[in-house]
Amino acid sequence: MWRLEKSSTDGIRGRWQKANNSSNLFSCIFVIAAILQLAFLAMKKVVLILLLLPASLSAYTQSHSLFNGKDLSGWHADVPEKDTNDSAKIPFVVRNNLLVSLGTPGGHLITDEIYQNFRLEVEYRFAGEPGNCGVLVFASTPRVLYKMFPKSIEVQLMHQHAGDFWCIGENITVPDMESRRGPKANWGVTEGKERRIKNLTDGSENPLGEWNTMIIECAGNTIKVWVNKNLVNYGFNATAQKGNIALQAEGSEVEFKKIVLTKLK
């Protein structure tokens, strides 16, 4: 009788231990699953942050200025009005060690060199009444649009719209394309088409008269733009990956005190 009771007790204890072990196993599995889910979410955030940051410092080579503070060496101007009016002025000058776009007549100041995979840092401000201007990347064939603008992708400097993309004979894709460019049927890169892609954050510019810093990073067929450390645009699948860099004269006087290019490795 004693042995039977002992055996029964051991059996109950054994079943209880098995049930307890199963419960512990399920608890461990639940905890591991929760940890893995948290790790996955954290990894997604890290990937997103890395996407929005400029390339790591190790990706850069030595920087050099595209403007020497004295003259326009390394640049050439394309001003359509001069084709028919020899007395028309070149709307780009050096004044007080600043490169100045006078705004009129319309035209572009274009680098002599072609660039690919680079980071461009530009410090600019509107000298008087704010208005329009832009930095063009991947510029190539001159005057493909309105017999004025070279084939390129423009990064807008226009007051209160800094960082917009304008597609000039070239194209680029951004997230939420239709909400930022309009109906797909109207998209295009020529006259009369929806060429503007709105930036992500209006309000990144400093008050008028203060200097703004714009960073344009072109890596392969992607373009990222920051204004005063705020990411304002990101595009991919650009139809060009190299070209000249150009500054616009487009109605308003703009001063540039820094135009520094760093090649990406």
Side-chain angles (χ1 to χ4, degrees), residues 29-93:
I29 292 173
F30 177 79
V31 170
I32 291 171
I35 292 172
L36 290 174
Q37 185 177 18
L38 290 173
F40 176 72
L41 292 174
M43 183 62 69
K44 286 179 67 178
K45 290 182 179 179
V46 169
V47 170
L48 180 60
I49 290 170
L50 291 175
L51 175 66
L52 300 184
L53 287 174
S56 65
L57 292 177
S58 62
Y60 299 129
T61 58
Q62 188 173 359
S63 301
H64 70 279
S65 179
L66 300 183
F67 171 54
N68 62 20
K70 300 176 182 179
D71 55 39
L72 299 180
S73 298
W75 301 78
H76 61 275
D78 179 42
V79 183
E81 186 177 325
K82 287 192 70 63
D83 292 351
T84 56
N85 180 8
D86 289 338
S87 63
K89 63 184 178 182
I90 298 294
F92 301 97
V93 298

Side-chain angles (χ1 to χ4, degrees), residues 18 24 47 55 103 106 112-113 120-121 131 137-138 142 145 160 162 183 195 200 208-209 229-230 239-240:
K18 287 182 179 179
N24 289 338
V47 170
D112 296 336
E113 298 292 328
L120 184 69
E121 183 174 353
V137 296
F138 304 152
L145 186 76
Q160 297 183 340
R195 300 182 296 104
L200 295 168
L208 288 174
K229 299 183 179 180
N230 298 314
T239 54

Side-chain angles (χ1 to χ4, degrees), residues 10 15 23 48 50 74 81 87 109 121 133 152 159 174 193 214 230 244 252 263:
D10 288 346
R15 287 194 295 274
S23 177
L48 180 60
L50 291 175
E81 186 177 325
S87 63
L109 187 67
E121 183 174 353
C133 193
S152 60
H159 180 55
V174 300
K193 297 294 185 178
M214 173 178 281
N230 298 314
N244 304 93
S252 296
K263 291 184 179 180

Side-chain angles (χ1 to χ4, degrees), residues 55-254:
S56 65
L57 292 177
S58 62
Y60 299 129
T61 58
Q62 188 173 359
S63 301
H64 70 279
S65 179
L66 300 183
F67 171 54
N68 62 20
K70 300 176 182 179
D71 55 39
L72 299 180
S73 298
W75 301 78
H76 61 275
D78 179 42
V79 183
E81 186 177 325
K82 287 192 70 63
D83 292 351
T84 56
N85 180 8
D86 289 338
S87 63
K89 63 184 178 182
I90 298 294
F92 301 97
V93 298
V94 177
R95 183 178 66 203
N96 299 326
N97 302 118
L98 303 175
L99 193 162
V100 183
S101 170
L102 299 173
T104 56
H108 295 83
L109 187 67
I110 305 167
T111 59
D112 296 336
E113 298 292 328
I114 289 175
Y115 297 100
Q116 180 179 15
N117 293 324
F118 61 87
R119 182 178 189 258
L120 184 69
E121 183 174 353
V122 177
E123 291 187 25
Y124 74 95
R125 69 179 178 185
F126 288 95
E129 288 295 319
N132 205 355
C133 193
V135 178
L136 279 53
V137 296
F138 304 152
S140 57
T141 309
R143 307 187 190 183
V144 298
L145 186 76
Y146 299 114
K147 299 181 180 180
M148 170 68 70
F149 302 93
K151 191 175 185 180
S152 60
I153 294 176
E154 176 186 350
V155 181
Q156 181 70 271
L157 296 183
M158 184 177 184
H159 180 55
Q160 297 183 340
H161 298 284
D164 287 356
F165 289 141
W166 280 85
C167 299
I168 307 173
E170 302 287 5
N171 216 342
I172 194 166
T173 302
V174 300
D176 302 319
M177 190 82 152
E178 291 203 44
S179 66
R180 296 170 58 194
R181 191 170 183 174
K184 188 173 182 179
N186 298 334
W187 298 352
V189 298
T190 57
E191 291 92 337
K193 297 294 185 178
E194 284 287 355
R195 300 182 296 104
R196 178 193 179 196
I197 301 174
K198 295 178 182 178
N199 67 53
L200 295 168
T201 58
D202 283 333
S204 295
E205 300 164 56
N206 289 329
L208 288 174
E210 295 184 12
W211 292 100
N212 295 284
T213 299
M214 173 178 281
I215 294 174
I216 305 170
E217 188 172 275
C218 300
N221 63 4
T222 68
I223 303 176
K224 298 177 187 177
V225 183
W226 292 262
V227 174
N228 299 322
K229 299 183 179 180
N230 298 314
L231 180 75
V232 297
N233 222 334
Y234 165 64
F236 51 93
N237 292 337
T239 54
Q241 297 187 32
K242 64 181 178 180
N244 304 93
I245 294 168
L247 305 176
Q248 289 183 323
E250 201 175 5
S252 296
E253 187 170 309
V254 180

